């Protein structure tokens, strides 16, 4: 061969899609292809395949495997002369290395691709049964099966059949194979076959007539005694036949296996008998079956064995299937199963998962099945086991928009085609999109993407996957808007009854009210209604993902009514990606955040992701600057404090909204995994906001009553959770007040002024208004409620020197100046430091006193009727247990360990561990319990709108607390178990560290 010719061939090979032109040249020069190497027809045909290199390699192997020269010549002549064979054979060889291996082992099987008659274009079960008829044992059955599979793959890759037809052919081949395998089993045990009637019910993709190239074939067996036979013996015989049939298909031989036969969808799964009588099946489904088992029965179809018995099985169970949507927790069960599937996908694979990942095939299948179960009760046209047929029926009946159905049909077909071609390559069960360049190139070319296969494939895959990700909007919610929008005649729409049924199935407890809200929001031809019709399908899905969809929709209507005439509101929701989802989460997560929003709906602007600050929490200095400026502009104290409370309300909403969004997560941002960080953010934000509000209120009161200077220097010291920067949404502001007369001012005058300031602050912060009150609690002052409300610094010094008790030293561990005269606050801290961090630590008498007080509090203060194990504050392992344990360590060791001199519980706990005062495991256990209990208290306030120390008893409220804590629908019991388990471990640590057990 001349160099010039070699160069020309090399170039032609590259032009025809070969990636390794040198290897292809060597193969074309092989003796097997000598007669046709220069034939342009061959090169054109190879270039048209998914992988020309693979096709050429497979062809050479097939030629080498032919039994002699005559057979090789026959193959080559037919290949060049007959275009149908050429396209089929080379198409298969370029798409499937596994079928190339089969042809190399069975070199005459290429002849199965020669015939091209009309009956060969769309074979059914009968044709496949003829193709398997000569199989006499499991090995020959495998060979015959692969030969039939070869013809299916050939029609597929040549485009003779589309993806739905291919899937149906694969299901028909599976049906024929199950029948052949059962026949072999019956021949091996004729006595067993005579003793029983055995029906094989296909489930899953096989039952739905939409099988993959490589998939488990799901089945259920139903058995009855033959005439005159004993039922128990008959069931044993049927079980033997069923087991043998499964082994024939599943076991690996020299010819590989066919596919696993999976009977785990049967009643009780693996723990149940393999074969049951029809009456036993019926009894199980009537009494014990779960929602997903009825969902699975949508695809049940008799395929083998006693078909009359199979038909009886379907007739008996079908009525139960169409009552499944009436079951309690129906939708929650279905959605929970879908979430569980996604949660089980390894994180590294989720973006490559075609079937189970977000925007994957299972999303379409689950959604279609859910709508079938909801609307198929009254409409028998929807009762198809095939996904695409059911989708078409839903569109024809007006249950799904026609345009949306077409989009989803296209997306499903594309994703199934990808799945088919991925599996066809090695005939391995996989749903992962490959990562290698060569694999992606072959996959893209096999789907007709030839210009830039990898780029085009990725783009098309993401586009179709994106359509599927939005399917809940398209399938579930958009038709509801069409049903109520009253836009005039057009395609068929949901009836009011069907719309109510759908809303109820999607979790709405009052579907009639929900429809009224939708009609009020979306009816008419105004621009506002048009934007609402665009927004609501998405929002309804987010509402339904919460524990209380009805509240979410009602709250959205209230906000929309309040802001409907403002030009920016709907534009914000439409144009800013985060705003609509953030609003949906906030409005459906409980009462507190919506209540705060309703008092000033314009705060919805905070939910956007623009330049307005969004949900970024603001620090103490920024808050105080804004509040003091507002107070400075006010004409009097009432107006000033009103402005301060307005800022507080807005910032409480911002804090609550950010907390909800971080806890729930969004479509673009997962939920915050660090629970401690969530607690710290809320504690710091609410504490800073409370301190800034007090500072502004103090400024307003002083200016109104005394001008620029109060007759006495005045400071507020935060106590308890306030001093610890750990306030929750429902916390009061625990403080003590300290003052010191200005030089030359009489002590009585100074004391009167200080008391008037406190009284006026308390009054103004509790005046009824649209803003939530801020309660000031001074009960932790010396002598409690019996002692003076305000003391001078000297008075505090005298009291602590003479009368201070150990519990007061403990309370002072959380003391931190929060507002007023900074220098006076600093001197107060200097005064109390020796009390709360006593030199050489606490004596044993003081330790015993603290333990006695704690024990008495546990027995006396727990509310009557409360479950101690679920009380977040006083229950075992709760907040009080952890805090008293940490505080005892601070009192005993704070004098020697500077890290312990902090008012914050988590910081002190970490410092105690760093100092070796407790082990890392014990510290982690206490920290986890404290964080969890704090999160529960925050959740209760967010959900109920009022503070509480125990879990709610109402089911929706309990579910909402669960969602905030990261538990899905139906997992409230798991949440309570986890709480008990966490606090039980913490209590064990407390017993050891605090009580010295």
């Amino acid at each position: 061969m001349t160099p010039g010719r070699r160069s020309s061939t090399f170039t032609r090979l590259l032009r025809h899609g070969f990636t390794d032109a040198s290897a292809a040249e060597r193969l074309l020069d092989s003796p097997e292809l000598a007669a046709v190497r220069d034939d342009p027809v061959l090169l054109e045909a190879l270039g048209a395949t998914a992988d020309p290199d693979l096709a050429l390699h497979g062809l050479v192997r097939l030629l080498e495997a032919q039994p002699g020269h005559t057979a090789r010549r026959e193959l080559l002549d037919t290949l060049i002369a007959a275009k149908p064979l050429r396209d089929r054979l080379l198409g298969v060889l370029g798409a499937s290395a596994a079928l190339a291996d089969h042809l190399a082992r069975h070199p005459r099987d290429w002849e199965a691709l020669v015939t091209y008659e009309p009956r060969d274009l769309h074979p059914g079960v009968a044709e496949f049964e003829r193709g398997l008829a000569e199989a006499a044992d499991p090995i020959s059955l495998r060979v015959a099966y692969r030969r039939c599979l070869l013809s299916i793959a050939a029609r597929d890759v040549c485009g003779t059949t589309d993806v739905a037809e291919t899937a149906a052919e694969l299901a028909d081949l599976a049906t024929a194979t199950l029948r052949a395998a059962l026949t072999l089993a019956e021949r091996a045990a004729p006595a067993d076959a005579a003793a029983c009637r055995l029906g094989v019910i296909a489930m899953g993709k096989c039952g739905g007539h939409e099988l993959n190239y490589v998939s488990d074939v799901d089945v259920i067996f139903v058995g009855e005694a033959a005439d005159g036979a004993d039922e128990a013996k008959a069931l044993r015989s049927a079980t033997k036949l069923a087991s043998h049939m499964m082994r024939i298909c599943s076991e690996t031989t020299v010819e590989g296996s066919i596919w696993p036969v999976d009977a785990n969808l049967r009643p009780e799964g693996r723990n149940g008998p393999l074969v049951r009588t029809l009456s036993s099946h019926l009894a199980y489904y009537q009494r014990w079956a779960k929602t997903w088992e009825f969902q699975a029965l949508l695809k049940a179809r008799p395929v083998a064995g006693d078909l009359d018995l199979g038909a009886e099985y379907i007739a008996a169970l079908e009525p139960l299937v169409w009552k499944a949507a009436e079951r309690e927790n129906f939708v929650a069960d279905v959605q929970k199963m879908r979430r569980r599937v996604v949660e089980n996908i390894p994180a590294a694979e989720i973006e490559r998962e075609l079937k189970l990942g977000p925007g994957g095939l299972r999303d379409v299948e689950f959604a279609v099945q859910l709508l079938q179960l909801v609307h198929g009760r009254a409409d028998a046209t929807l009762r198809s086991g095939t996904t695409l047929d059911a989708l078409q029926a839903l569109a024809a009946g007006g249950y799904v928009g026609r345009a949306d159905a077409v989009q989803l049909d296209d997306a499903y077909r594309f994703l199934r085609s990808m799945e088919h071609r991925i599996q066809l390559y090695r005939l391995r069960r996989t749903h992962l999109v490959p990562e290698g360049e060569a694999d992606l190139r072959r996959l893209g070319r096999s789907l007709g993407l030839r210009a830039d296969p990898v780029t085009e494939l990725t783009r098309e895959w993401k586009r179709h996957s994106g359509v599927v990700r939005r399917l809940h909007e398209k399938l579930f919610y958009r038709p509801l808007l069409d049903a109520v929008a009253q836009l005039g005649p057009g395609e068929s729409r949901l009836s009011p009854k069907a719309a109510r049924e759908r809303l109820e199935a999607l979790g709405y407890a009052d579907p009639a009210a929900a429809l009224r809200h939708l009609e009020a929001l979306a009816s008419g031809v105004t621009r506002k209604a048009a934007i609402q019709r665009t927004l609501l399908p998405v929002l309804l899905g987010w509402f339904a993902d919460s524990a209380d969809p009805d509240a979410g929709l009602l709250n959205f209507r209230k906000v929309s009514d309040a802001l409907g005439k403002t030009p920016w509101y709907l534009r914000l929701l439409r144009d800013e990606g985060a705003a609509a989802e953030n609003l949906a989460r906030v409005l459906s997560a409980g009462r507190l955040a919506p209540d705060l929003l309703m008092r000033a709906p314009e705060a919805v602007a905070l939910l956007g992701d623009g330049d307005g600050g969004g949900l970024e929490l603001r620090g103490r200095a920024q808050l105080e600057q804004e509040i003091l400026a507002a107070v400075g502009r006010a004409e009097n104290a009432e107006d000033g404090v009103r402005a301060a409370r307005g800022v507080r309300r807005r910032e409480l909403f911002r804090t609550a909204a950010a907390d909800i969004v971080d806890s729930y997560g969004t479509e673009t941002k997962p939920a915050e995994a660090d629970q401690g960080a969530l607690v710290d953010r809320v504690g710091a934000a609410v504490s800073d906001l409370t301190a800034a509000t007090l500072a502004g209120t103090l400024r307003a009161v002083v200016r109104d009553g005394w001008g620029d200077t109060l007759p006495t220097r005045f400071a507020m010291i935060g106590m308890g959770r306030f001093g610890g920067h750990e306030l929750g949404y429902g916390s009061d502001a625990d403080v003590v007040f300290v003052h010191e007369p200005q030089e030359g001012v009489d002590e009585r005058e100074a004391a009167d002024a200080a008391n008037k300031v406190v009284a006026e602050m308390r009054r103004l912060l509790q005046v009824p208004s649209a803003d939530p009150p801020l309660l000031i609690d001074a009960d932790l002052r010396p002598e409690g409620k019996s002692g003076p409300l305000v003391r001078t610094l000297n008075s505090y010094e005298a009291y602590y020197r003479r009368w201070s008790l150990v519990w007061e030293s403990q309370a002072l561990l959380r003391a931190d100046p929060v507002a007023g005269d900074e220098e006076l606050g600093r001197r107060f801290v200097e005064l109390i430091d020796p009390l709360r961090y006593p030199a050489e630590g606490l004596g044993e008498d003081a330790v015993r006193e603290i333990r006695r007080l704690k024990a008495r509090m546990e027995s006396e203060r727990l509310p009557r009727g409360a479950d101690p194990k679920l009380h977040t504050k006083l229950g075992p392992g709760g907040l009080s247990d952890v805090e008293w344990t940490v505080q005892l360590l601070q009192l005993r060791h704070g004098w020697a360990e500077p890290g312990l001199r902090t008012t914050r519980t988590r910081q002190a706990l970490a410092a105690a561990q760093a100092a070796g005062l407790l082990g890392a495991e014990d510290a982690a256990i206490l920290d986890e319990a404290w964080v969890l209990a704090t999160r529960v208290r925050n959740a209760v306030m967010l959900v109920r709108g009022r503070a509480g120390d125990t879990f709610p008893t109402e089911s929706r409220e309990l579910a909402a607390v669960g969602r905030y804590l990261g538990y899905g629908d139906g997992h409230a019991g798991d949440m309570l178990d986890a709480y008990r388990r966490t606090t039980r471990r913490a209590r064990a640590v407390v017993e050891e560290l605090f009580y010295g057990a």
Side-chain angles (χ1 to χ4, degrees):
M1 186 181 292
T2 65
R5 179 181 170 189
R6 178 178 175 81
S7 175
S8 171
T9 304
F10 189 91
T11 304
R12 283 170 58 213
L13 289 170
L14 290 176
R15 195 168 61 245
H16 279 93
F18 287 84
T19 55
D20 190 347
S22 299
E25 274 191 299
R26 288 194 296 274
L27 289 172
L28 285 169
D29 286 338
S30 64
E32 289 76 17
L33 287 173
V36 295
R37 71 161 64 97
D38 296 321
D39 195 315
V41 168
L42 176 63
L43 207 54
E44 290 288 342
L46 287 168
T49 65
D51 188 338
D53 301 86
L54 185 69
L56 178 57
H57 184 260
L59 178 60
V60 171
R61 288 181 64 206
L62 177 57
L63 289 166
E64 289 172 344
Q66 296 304 308
H69 176 75
T70 303
R72 267 197 301 276
R73 187 73 243 178
E74 179 189 358
L75 171 56
L76 283 173
D77 288 348
T78 312
L79 187 71
I80 298 301
K83 185 177 188 314
L85 171 71
R86 187 166 63 247
D87 291 344
R88 288 178 169 197
L89 178 59
L90 294 182
V92 168
L93 292 173
S96 178
L99 288 176
D101 291 341
H102 172 83
L103 285 168
R105 287 197 307 275
H106 303 280
R108 301 302 297 177
D109 276 5
W110 66 269
E111 295 171 7
L113 304 179
V114 174
T115 53
Y116 200 73
E117 299 172 10
R119 66 184 178 87
D120 296 310
L121 296 183
H122 301 291
V125 176
E127 286 77 20
F128 288 126
E129 283 189 291
R130 283 196 293 274
L132 303 176
E134 295 179 7
D137 55 56
I139 292 176
S140 58
L141 180 61
R142 281 153 175 68
V143 175
Y145 172 83
R146 287 289 173 94
R147 190 181 304 121
C148 293
L149 193 65
L150 184 66
S151 67
I152 293 175
R155 286 187 291 276
D156 179 15
V157 298
C158 291
T160 307
T161 53
D162 66 18
V163 66
E165 292 168 329
T166 299
E169 286 186 17
L170 289 165
D172 286 341
L173 175 56
T175 296
T177 305
L178 289 171
R179 292 178 182 179
L182 184 56
T183 299
L184 292 178
E186 289 172 340
R187 286 179 192 164
D192 287 329
C196 66
R197 299 171 65 199
L198 177 63
V200 183
I201 313 297
M203 304 287 285
K205 287 224 173 353
C206 184
H209 228 70
E210 50 189 16
L211 198 60
N212 297 327
Y213 276 103
V214 187
S215 176
D216 290 359
V217 171
D218 296 309
V219 298
I220 284 177
F221 296 105
V222 57
E224 296 288 348
D227 291 341
D230 175 74
E231 184 178 285
K233 290 181 179 178
L235 285 177
R236 285 196 293 272
S237 294
T239 301
K240 290 178 186 175
L241 292 175
S243 299
H244 192 188
M245 186 203 83
M246 292 172 69
R247 288 197 304 276
I248 288 170
C249 296
S250 305
E251 285 181 346
T252 302
T253 70
V254 291
E255 289 291 341
S257 67
I258 301 176
W259 17 247
V261 177
D262 188 340
N264 289 335
L265 291 177
R266 67 186 184 271
E268 299 180 77
R270 292 177 183 172
N271 298 321
L274 185 63
V275 183
R276 288 175 183 259
T277 62
L278 179 54
S279 61
S280 176
H281 275 285
L282 194 56
Y284 174 84
Y285 283 103
Q286 286 172 334
R287 189 169 184 185
W288 302 110
K290 297 180 174 64
T291 299
W292 70 263
E293 293 177 279
F294 293 107
Q295 186 183 358
L297 284 173
L298 278 171
K299 296 187 177 294
R301 179 172 65 95
V303 291
D306 191 318
L307 295 180
D308 289 337
L309 179 57
E312 291 174 38
Y313 174 92
I314 299 298
L317 292 181
E318 192 174 38
L320 300 180
V321 173
W322 303 112
K323 292 180 181 177
E326 299 167 11
R327 293 163 59 90
E328 190 177 356
N329 297 324
F330 163 69
V331 173
D333 287 346
V334 174
Q335 293 176 339
K336 183 166 61 178
M337 191 163 86
R338 175 72 189 95
R339 274 196 295 271
R340 190 181 303 134
V341 168
V342 174
E343 287 163 3
N344 288 335
I345 303 171
E349 296 179 355
I350 196 162
E351 292 302 320
R352 296 167 50 220
E353 176 59 69
L354 264 182
K355 178 180 178 181
L356 304 177
L361 293 161
R362 186 60 64 86
D363 274 350
V364 181
E365 292 158 4
F366 264 58
V368 168
Q369 288 163 24
L370 182 58
L371 290 181
Q372 284 181 277
L373 290 170
V374 171
H375 300 298
R377 290 177 284 180
D379 189 344
T381 65
L382 305 181
R383 299 177 183 180
S384 170
T386 307
T387 301
L388 291 177
D389 290 349
L391 181 57
Q392 188 176 5
L394 286 164
Y399 302 100
V400 173
R402 290 185 186 276
D404 290 332
V406 168
Q407 263 196 314
L408 282 168
D409 184 285
D410 288 345
Y412 188 77
R413 287 174 183 272
F414 183 83
L415 296 174
R416 280 301 299 272
S417 297
M418 281 184 70
E419 181 184 45
H420 276 190
R421 300 300 165 80
I422 290 168
Q423 292 184 348
L424 182 59
Y425 176 51
R426 292 286 186 195
L427 285 182
R428 289 179 184 160
R429 185 181 179 218
T430 180
H431 312 288
L432 291 179
V433 177
E435 296 178 291
E437 181 86 8
D439 290 326
L440 290 170
R441 181 175 182 273
R442 179 180 56 257
L443 179 57
R445 284 175 59 91
S446 77
L447 296 171
L449 308 172
R450 297 298 172 97
D452 185 356
V454 176
T455 302
E456 290 179 71
L457 172 68
T458 303
R459 184 176 63 242
E460 287 299 292
W461 170 33
K462 296 303 180 187
R463 180 173 72 83
H464 287 297
S465 180
V467 168
V468 175
R469 282 175 187 252
R470 297 247 68 92
L471 70 81
H472 287 84
E473 166 197 341
K474 296 175 185 297
L475 291 192
F476 295 166
Y477 303 112
R478 193 170 289 165
L480 290 168
L481 272 296
D482 293 340
V484 300
Q486 302 170 358
L487 293 176
E491 64 176 70
S492 56
R493 294 190 172 93
L494 286 179
S495 68
K497 179 174 182 290
R500 283 194 299 273
E501 287 176 343
R502 181 173 302 192
L503 280 165
E504 191 172 0
L506 293 166
Y508 288 81
D510 188 350
L515 278 176
R516 288 196 300 274
H517 299 324
L518 292 178
E519 189 170 357
L521 288 163
S523 293
V525 294
T526 63
R527 182 171 174 274
K528 183 175 79 171
I531 295 175
Q532 288 281 23
R533 287 194 293 275
T534 301
L535 291 170
L536 276 165
V538 189
L539 290 166
L540 285 169
W542 287 323
F543 294 148
D545 190 40
S546 74
D548 195 349
D550 300 81
L553 180 55
L554 172 61
N555 289 331
F556 179 68
R557 182 179 174 184
K558 288 179 179 177
V559 173
S560 295
D561 287 348
L563 295 176
K565 293 181 180 178
T566 57
W568 56 266
Y569 167 61
L570 290 175
R571 189 168 64 240
L572 170 83
L573 299 184
R574 184 192 63 192
D575 297 341
E576 291 207 23
E581 185 176 4
N582 289 346
L583 180 62
R585 300 298 181 203
V586 166
L587 293 180
S588 56
R591 294 180 184 173
L592 178 65
D595 285 352
L596 291 168
L597 181 60
M598 298 308 169
R599 298 176 190 215
E602 66 277 2
V604 77
L606 298 175
L607 300 170
D609 50 9
D611 299 325
L615 295 179
E616 191 71 33
L617 300 182
R618 305 166 78 194
R620 165 76 181 272
Q622 195 176 1
L623 292 168
E624 196 165 307
Q625 181 181 19
E626 180 183 1
I627 288 174
L628 291 177
V631 167
R633 291 190 296 270
E635 293 186 2
N636 52 50
E638 284 83 354
D639 291 346
V641 175
R642 189 179 302 117
R645 288 176 66 182
V647 173
R648 177 172 176 265
R649 183 243 315 126
R650 183 197 68 207
E651 294 304 320
L652 274 176
F653 172 73
R654 191 199 305 265
T655 303
D659 188 22
I660 289 166
V661 170
D662 286 343
S663 296
Y664 270 64
T666 65
E667 291 190 352
T668 57
K669 178 185 169 188
E672 171 64 69
D674 186 348
Q675 304 288 299
L678 290 169
V679 164
D680 291 345
R681 279 205 288 272
V682 171
V686 178
S687 301
D688 286 346
L689 180 55
T690 301
T693 305
L694 290 177
T697 304
L698 175 61
R699 173 75 62 85
V701 169
V702 170
R703 191 189 63 179
D704 214 38
W706 293 272
D708 291 333
T709 307
L710 193 65
T712 186
R713 302 170 74 181
F714 183 87
M716 284 176 271
I717 311 299
M719 302 290 286
R721 296 197 172 286
F722 189 16
H725 301 263
E726 297 161 357
L727 284 181
Y729 298 112
S731 302
D732 295 344
D734 287 320
V735 296
V736 296
F737 302 102
V738 58
H739 79 105
E740 187 175 67
Q742 299 280 6
E743 190 173 341
V745 176
D746 178 69
E747 283 204 12
R748 179 174 289 279
E749 180 189 350
D752 287 346
N755 278 290
K756 285 178 182 176
V757 166
V758 171
E760 185 66 357
M761 286 181 68
R762 296 176 103 173
R763 183 185 73 81
L764 291 174
L765 287 170
Q766 296 181 56
V767 169
S769 77
D771 301 311
L774 175 57
L775 302 180
I776 296 176
D777 187 338
D779 288 353
L780 290 175
R781 65 187 183 270
E783 302 178 77
K785 292 179 180 178
S786 304
L789 194 59
V790 185
R791 288 176 181 264
T792 64
L793 189 63
N794 289 335
S795 175
Y796 276 105
E797 193 272 333
Y799 174 86
Y800 287 138
R801 184 178 65 248
R802 188 170 183 185
W803 303 110
S804 178
L805 301 172
V806 68
W807 73 264
E808 290 175 304
S809 296
Q810 182 181 356
L812 289 170
L813 285 167
R814 313 293 292 277
D816 198 33
V818 291
D821 191 296
E822 291 183 10
E823 200 268 336
L824 182 60
R826 181 182 57 75
R827 287 164 57 206
F828 181 86
V829 169
E830 290 174 353
L831 169 68
I832 64 171
D833 270 352
L835 288 167
R836 56 184 179 175
Y837 310 124
E840 305 302 324
L842 284 186
E844 285 305 311
D845 288 345
V847 172
R848 277 194 296 273
E849 175 64 10
I850 287 178
R851 288 171 176 164
R852 187 187 65 77
L853 287 170
K854 176 77 169 71
R856 192 179 80 184
M857 185 180 72
E858 289 177 13
S859 63
E860 294 179 0
R861 291 182 58 188
L862 197 69
R864 182 178 301 172
D867 181 351
K869 293 180 180 177
L870 294 177
H871 198 280
T872 59
K873 183 176 181 181
L874 302 176
L879 295 170
S880 176
D881 266 3
V882 176
E883 289 167 1
W884 281 59
T885 301
V886 171
Q887 289 160 15
L888 183 58
L889 291 172
Q890 290 179 283
L891 287 165
R892 298 179 81 171
H893 303 283
W895 66 278
E897 295 292 342
L900 290 173
R901 296 172 206 159
T902 174
T903 62
R904 306 178 189 221
T905 302
R906 298 188 72 210
Q907 283 188 8
L909 184 57
Q913 182 204 328
L917 301 176
L918 77 168
E921 184 179 357
D922 286 349
I925 289 171
L926 293 179
D927 185 69
E928 181 186 12
W930 189 88
V931 166
L932 178 57
T934 305
R935 288 270 289 158
V936 171
R937 289 179 108 203
N938 285 343
V940 169
M941 184 66 188
L942 284 170
V943 169
R944 304 183 69 191
R946 60 182 188 272
D949 291 317
T950 59
F951 287 88
T953 53
E954 198 276 322
S955 59
R956 283 215 168 196
E957 291 181 343
L958 186 63
V961 169
R963 291 305 307 275
Y964 174 81
L965 295 177
Y967 291 89
D969 289 340
H971 285 281
D974 295 339
M975 170 181 68
L976 297 178
D977 288 345
Y979 182 85
R980 292 187 186 99
R981 186 167 56 250
T982 301
T983 52
R984 186 169 60 245
R985 294 169 64 210
R987 178 64 181 194
V989 176
V990 171
E991 294 280 358
E992 181 181 344
L993 292 178
F994 184 83
Y995 289 110

